[in-house]
Amino acid sequence: MDLDAASLKDIDRRTLRYHTADGLYQLMGGALFTFLGAQGLIVLTVPEGPLRWIYFILGQCVLMLVALAALRVVQRLKARITYPRAGYAGIDPPSKARITAALLVGLFWSAATPWQLVLLLRKPSYAQLMPLAPLMVGVFWAVVTVAAWVRERDPHWLGVAAVALASGLWAYHLKAVPSGMFWVLVSMGVASLVLGTVRLRRFLRENPKPAETEA
Amino acid sequence: MTDLDRLIHEPARLLIVALLNGVKEADFLYLQKQTGLTKGNLSSHIAKLEEAGYVEVEKSFKGKIPLTVLRLTQIGRDAFAFYKESLGKLLSVTPTM
């Protein structure tokens, strides 16, 4: 056991990887992305008009509630599946500054989205950019997931990034607007579900439940 | 070398402290899995760190199973930060071969 400055840095990454080694967060994220994309695709089947937007906004609210519930479910699953096998490590709670920043970004995003949609509907020049939308969504999520890979060095993120980019390009090629944006989310969600399942199976194989001794 | 904390500098203890520094708290099994140490070896290193006030050990039961949760104290976090700084300084002045 020999440690140097470089391996000390790797220990931080190892701690980050530990929290995703069981695949449960990937499964949760995959389910949420699939739900978000599918909800968008379902909303598109509703005839144009105020009812469509009501469905869309209701869907977003349901998604937020589902996300909160999913976090609790993952914590319970970790207590049953992960901790008895790989041990328990609690994450430091986020600082107040981080929570405030996340809330501000969320509020900005929530406020900006309807305005973007209004602009797209009212200004034809913006509408010309619409075919690029699925590609932009794909590139955006590819960048986000590659950034996660840089932080954690977890290959799962590269797989999701490749799927996001490929599905964005595919939807752009087919000029599938606006459904292409939602298909990108569904593709990412399904990729994350598949990779999460593979990871969970591997985790269970590599970490059999030990006899009930000290934890 | 004089600046390096001997208690932390020992590889097994360094690994334990570095692992605990990245989390709020961890149990014995987590440390055992991550370090690859035997129970006895890990216990003896933890005892030394606890004696120095670097680690806080909380023993309880989860059902009938004993549960040992460990946390790095503020003294431990400060000592580890100082150790990393000292190691960085030492490496920066050491000529490369």
Side-chain angles (χ1 to χ4, degrees):
Chain A
M1 194 186 301
D2 195 19
L3 288 173
D4 53 22
S7 49
L8 279 179
K9 274 184 193 168
D10 189 58
I11 289 172
D12 282 340
R13 287 196 183 119
R14 195 197 301 188
T15 310
L16 287 169
R17 280 200 299 268
Y18 156 80
H19 292 290
T20 53
D22 53 15
L24 292 174
Y25 279 120
Q26 288 92 331
L27 285 170
M28 183 193 84
L32 289 176
F33 268 89
T34 309
F35 181 89
L36 179 65
Q39 181 238 339
L41 289 169
I42 292 166
V43 164
L44 289 179
T45 62
V46 178
E48 286 265 11
L51 195 62
R52 180 186 270 194
W53 296 110
I54 291 169
Y55 275 131
F56 186 72
I57 291 161
L58 274 178
Q60 301 290 308
C61 295
V62 170
L63 184 74
M64 278 184 207
L65 292 175
V66 169
L68 286 173
L71 274 174
R72 282 185 171 270
V73 170
V74 167
Q75 281 308 316
R76 280 173 183 247
L77 286 173
K78 276 187 172 288
R80 285 180 72 95
I81 297 168
T82 314
Y83 303 154
R85 289 175 166 86
Y88 156 76
I91 314 170
D92 273 323
S95 63
K96 279 184 183 173
R98 257 187 144 174
I99 294 170
T100 312
L103 280 173
L104 286 173
V105 169
L107 281 172
F108 173 77
W109 187 262
S110 312
T113 306
W115 283 109
Q116 286 168 4
L117 292 169
V118 168
L119 277 174
L120 283 170
L121 292 172
R122 287 195 179 165
K123 293 232 177 182
S125 54
Y126 283 105
Q128 284 169 7
L129 295 173
M130 273 306 268
L132 281 172
L135 184 61
M136 283 160 72
V137 171
V139 169
F140 172 78
W141 284 110
V143 169
V144 168
T145 43
V146 167
W149 173 77
V150 169
R151 190 163 171 250
E152 295 176 22
R153 289 286 190 273
D154 185 340
H156 161 87
W157 293 116
L158 287 182
V160 178
V163 170
L165 200 57
S167 54
L169 281 166
W170 173 72
Y172 173 68
H173 175 70
L174 292 181
K175 304 212 182 318
V177 180
S179 63
M181 290 190 292
F182 299 118
W183 279 116
V184 172
L185 298 179
V186 170
S187 310
M188 281 176 64
V190 171
S192 203
L193 280 170
V194 171
L195 291 167
T197 307
V198 170
R199 179 163 289 198
L200 180 60
R201 283 173 66 102
R202 195 178 61 193
F203 176 82
L204 293 175
R205 200 173 54 240
E206 288 174 359
N207 297 279
K209 198 171 178 180
E212 292 192 345
T213 54
E214 186 171 17
Chain B
M1 273 303 266
T2 50
D3 273 353
L4 290 179
D5 186 334
R6 290 276 175 179
L7 191 73
I8 295 183
H9 192 57
E10 198 282 326
R13 285 196 291 272
L14 177 55
L15 187 52
I16 294 167
V17 171
L19 283 165
L20 286 176
N21 189 55
V23 296
K24 188 179 89 178
E25 57 188 19
D27 68 8
F28 193 86
L29 180 63
Y30 172 79
L31 288 177
Q32 205 192 339
K33 287 257 179 185
Q34 295 289 328
T35 58
L37 295 168
T38 61
K39 277 186 182 180
N41 209 348
L42 181 58
S43 293
S44 79
H45 286 302
I46 288 169
K48 281 179 189 165
L49 291 167
E50 192 185 11
E51 204 175 298
Y54 289 180
V55 166
E56 194 179 87
V57 182
E58 190 185 301
K59 286 179 187 263
S60 61
F61 279 87
K62 192 179 177 187
K64 288 178 181 176
I65 310 161
L67 180 71
T68 307
V69 175
L70 303 107
R71 280 176 217 97
L72 206 58
T73 61
Q74 194 53 50
I75 301 169
R77 286 188 193 274
D78 293 344
F80 183 58
F82 185 69
Y83 172 83
K84 279 204 292 187
E85 199 186 312
S86 306
L87 185 67
K89 278 181 191 166
L90 186 72
L91 291 174
S92 66
V93 296
T94 309
T96 49
M97 299 294 270

